[in-house]
Amino acid sequence: MDFDEPFKNLLTQGMVLKDGSKMSKSKGNTVDPDEIFENYGADTARLFILSDSPPARDFDWSDAGVEGCYKFLNRVWRLISTNQNNINLNYKLNFPLEKSNDDLVRTVHIAIKGITNDISNDFQFNTVISKYRELVNAIYDWQAKKLNLNDEDKMVLSFAIISMIKLMSPVAVHLTEEAWHELGGDGSIHEQEWCKWDENLAKASSITLVVQVNGKVKDKIEVDEGFSDEEMKSTALESPKIKALTDGMTIVKTIVVPKKLVNIVVK
């Protein structure tokens, strides 16, 4: 008998473990969520549960992990609160930007694209949260290099922090809502338009990939800095110069030095 499935996709989540064993009342190894909420808040619990592993895999509860997530959220809050007077909800970016500002803007666009795609791709919130951390670190690093903020700096900082708040709103529900109102935002952060990225700005900075054949340089190719080892390998092998040099030969192995070179060994 033919019939339509009641849903398009099925996500079966993994088990929650404690000290390597499945968490259950019968084993007495459960964690009282009310204690987590009282000591750390609901956002911390949500962040930790989503950050540990892909949703389809088992998840091992860790008190140290909860503490780490709590510290991260406090770090996010400090970033927002200490910059409150420099943040303009009606920011405007006027290109071209100073180099360090342009780098941060590009980092934010890369984060927007990556986080948006990860949420859409089987709810991969563990990688989303990893990208949250990278974005927060990038903003802190940028700020550490700025002694006094000029008007352009403040616009770039506003763009970065407001984008961060919106991107974190599906996970840190309460923190982002509070931050939005502290900054003078109208309505709820959860009713705001989702961040959009510019494809040109979402490209990582380029690097020169050196391609060798049997240890000798045969080509140099400009590639995105964010290329994975596999992407670097495939780019090198698809180079017309390399194809011509390796035509009819056997590729024994391909050695990749991340962000530097690909050495193709042939015989």
Side-chain angles (χ1 to χ4, degrees), residues 122-139:
D122 297 328
F123 305 102
Q124 295 295 325
F125 278 99
N126 60 308
T127 57
V128 166
I129 291 166
S130 176
K131 289 180 174 65
Y132 287 164
R133 295 181 185 276
E134 292 173 0
L135 177 58
V136 171
N137 288 339
I139 299 173

Side-chain angles (χ1 to χ4, degrees), residues 68-139:
C69 287
Y70 179 68
K71 289 180 179 179
F72 171 67
L73 289 178
N74 274 281
R75 191 165 184 252
V76 171
W77 182 259
R78 285 195 302 273
L79 181 61
I80 299 168
S81 60
T82 57
N83 286 293
Q84 185 170 351
N85 293 333
N86 293 321
I87 298 174
N88 183 350
L89 293 178
N90 298 312
Y91 63 84
K92 182 176 178 59
L93 300 180
N94 295 312
F95 294 91
L97 300 171
E98 186 267 324
K99 177 64 168 62
S100 63
N101 290 341
D102 186 74
D103 288 344
L104 181 59
V105 168
R106 290 179 182 278
T107 297
V108 176
H109 277 273
I110 290 169
I112 293 171
K113 180 179 179 179
I115 289 168
T116 303
N117 289 339
D118 285 352
I119 291 176
S120 303
N121 181 24
D122 297 328
F123 305 102
Q124 295 295 325
F125 278 99
N126 60 308
T127 57
V128 166
I129 291 166
S130 176
K131 289 180 174 65
Y132 287 164
R133 295 181 185 276
E134 292 173 0
L135 177 58
V136 171
N137 288 339
I139 299 173

Side-chain angles (χ1 to χ4, degrees), residues 39-71:
N39 295 327
Y40 300 103
D43 283 349
T44 297
R46 184 182 294 105
L47 182 74
F48 173 61
I49 291 171
L50 293 174
S51 68
D52 186 74
S53 60
R57 289 176 51 187
D58 292 343
F59 158 61
D60 204 344
W61 186 270
S62 163
D63 292 338
V66 174
E67 182 71 28
C69 287
Y70 179 68
K71 289 180 179 179

